[in-house]
Amino acid sequence: QVQLVESGGGLVQAGGSLRLSCAASGRTLSSSTMGWFRQAPGKEREFVARFRWIDGNRSYADSVKGRFTISRDNAKNTVYLQMNNLEPEDTAVYYCAASPYPITGSRPHDYKFWGQGTQVTVSS
């Protein structure tokens, strides 16, 4: 079983930056995939970024490509989402998610473990 805890959300002005953290515990992550998703009120949960531990493969949604960067700290079993040039459209609850397998999927259903979410609000 994997436990995920997000932190780093908050209120920021458009054009600003935030870094989200996701600390994982409970199981090893050597073959896992870590993902970031977000969900705004009235909208479906959408893929933001993923990191595949076994080979370091990274992938991003088109809407955040060039602005967001996913990275990890192996010693801390922590995955980060650096968000730059934030826009009001980025406002959502951001969720860290994990699969125990080196997957390539970008659907919420592809991930078995989820954090509690952290609110990101971008003001215009």
Side-chain angles (χ1 to χ4, degrees):
Q1 200 75 19
V2 174
Q3 293 81 46
L4 305 173
V5 179
E6 302 102 329
S7 62
L11 175 65
V12 65
Q13 291 183 324
S17 298
L18 285 173
R19 189 176 76 159
L20 306 183
S21 299
C22 175
S25 62
R27 303 293 293 174
T28 61
L29 302 174
S30 60
S31 63
S32 71
T33 303
M34 303 293 295
W36 286 98
F37 292 78
R38 66 187 183 186
Q39 187 167 21
K43 300 182 67 177
E44 294 184 350
R45 190 167 298 186
E46 66 174 347
F47 168 78
V48 175
R50 69 169 179 264
F51 169 80
R52 197 161 62 207
W53 212 273
I54 192 168
D55 59 3
N57 177 263
R58 294 166 169 84
S59 184
Y60 300 92
D62 289 342
S63 60
V64 307
K65 193 173 297 182
R67 299 188 297 122
F68 292 9
T69 302
I70 189 169
S71 62
R72 93 289 192 187
D73 185 325
N74 291 339
K76 297 181 178 179
N77 278 147
T78 298
V79 174
Y80 304 97
L81 185 69
Q82 178 67 46
M83 306 185 294
N84 297 326
N85 194 24
L86 284 161
E87 304 169 352
E89 292 74 20
D90 297 316
T91 296
V93 176
Y94 282 70
Y95 296 90
C96 179
S99 168
Y101 310 109
I103 63 172
T104 59
S106 58
R107 303 172 302 169
H109 185 72
D110 296 327
Y111 293 79
K112 295 185 180 297
F113 307 105
W114 293 84
Q116 81 288 349
T118 185
Q119 177 71 47
V120 172
T121 302
V122 184
S123 62
S124 60

